[in-house]
Amino acid sequence: MAWNRWNLLDLNDWEPDDFHGFVDYALSLAPRLESLPKKPLDSLRGMTVANMFIENSTRTRNSFAAAEQMTGAAYIDWSASGSSMAKGETLRDTVWTLCEMGVNGLVVRHSLTGMPYYIQKLVPHIPVFNAGDGARSHPTQGLLDIVAATRRLGDLKGATVAIIGDVKYSRVARSDVLAFGGMGARVTVSGPRTLLPANPEAFGAKYVPDPRKAVAEADIVMLLRVQLERQEAGLFPSVKEYHALYGANEELLAHAKPGAVVMHPAPINRGVEISSALADGERSLLREQVHCGVLARMAVLDICLGGGKR
Ligand code: CP
């Protein structure tokens, strides 16, 4: 695979060959992470990556840190809370300050859409890796999801992915539509109309109003967290009603194909969009998604910073 990328802001310019080559490469890294002792790549030895999280995270933040260790990079773990931003320092001064410490890459999460693009303009000489911006994009989540799904199911060409829940406010849904679409899968969306984009077809997915029908056609059932922090009030009557109509539980999965798997980017709201029985059950890929997150981020960093695959 010829690879000329040096940063990762979005997946909208990726071609199907890029997605396929990426998944193959990420999966080839698995023995390095899974052997004991681990076998780091070391391709980023001598480099430093700053992880800037201006919005909370458990998975993405620590997964990037694990991937940086597995590629030999040193990392700076920075979060807005506890920083001099609390004293009024601006984001641009913070970015410049960190970059003057010899940083070779910036991982950025921000609650505002487009902020990684803004930061990339501030420091055009340092690659920025989008770790999730507002409701727009979460490219490494899209990538890790196709890595995890391929690992379990094999080739995704012709597979159907049903994304159910809060699609409108989900950056994961946007990145998953691009990533699964790039792998040749068909994506449908289902959920309350108030939590769907105005035109789901323009979003790149077929709208299936009844979640039972969406599940019945699916090889992968992808649940999304109800993102209360990005919503206006009153988009569904109550959590109990949401779960009864759109929540994934054994009753809903009874409509699914026998081999269908359940995914969720997490964090999960147990008992809201997914029941504990499904999240912890045999069909669940939730733990594999976290594991593949390290592989996907190792691959991203190695390809962009370390010359991997070139
Ligand atoms: N899936 C995901 O982005 O999780 P975090 O918010 O914990 O990083």
Side-chain angles (χ1 to χ4, degrees), residues 114-297:
M115 206 44 106
Y117 283 88
Y118 168 74
I119 292 176
Q120 186 64 89
K121 279 195 178 152
L122 285 179
V123 285
H125 53 299
I126 295 178
V128 171
F129 302 94
N130 183 355
D133 65 318
R136 196 185 66 87
S137 183
H138 194 347
T140 59
Q141 182 72 45
L143 293 173
L144 79 86
D145 284 342
I146 55 175
V147 172
T150 303
R151 195 172 193 190
R152 175 70 76 96
L153 300 176
D155 189 359
L156 299 177
K157 188 172 169 53
T160 297
V161 185
I163 302 181
I164 301 176
D166 182 0
V167 177
K168 183 175 176 182
Y169 295 92
S170 172
R171 56 191 172 213
V172 175
R174 281 163 183 75
S175 291
D176 273 353
V177 165
L178 294 170
F180 281 102
M183 294 298 286
R186 177 173 161 268
V187 182
T188 62
V189 292
S190 188
R193 203 62 194 84
T194 49
L195 295 182
L196 288 172
N199 182 358
E201 308 286 338
F203 183 81
K206 184 181 151 202
Y207 173 44
V208 180
D210 183 347
R212 285 166 299 185
K213 287 196 178 139
V215 162
E217 297 170 359
D219 302 286
I220 298 166
V221 180
M222 174 77 71
L223 290 319
L224 296 176
R225 186 170 65 87
V226 176
Q227 291 162 98
L228 298 169
E229 75 275 21
R230 295 198 195 108
Q231 293 177 6
E232 309 127 41
L235 294 180
F236 52 89
S238 69
V239 164
K240 197 172 165 192
E241 197 158 334
Y242 182 90
H243 186 72
L245 291 172
Y246 298 103
N249 48 34
E250 281 166 326
E251 192 188 328
L252 182 68
L253 261 285
H255 297 270
K257 297 177 188 174
V261 296
V262 174
M263 299 181 76
H264 189 310
I268 60 175
N269 294 308
R270 288 177 184 266
V272 183
E273 72 272 357
I274 188 166
S275 69
S276 282
L278 276 198
D280 304 328
E282 282 184 0
R283 289 170 180 248
S284 171
L285 283 195
L286 272 66
R287 289 175 188 220
E288 279 158 83
Q289 286 174 267
V290 175
H291 184 74
C292 289
V294 181
L295 299 178
R297 289 169 182 126

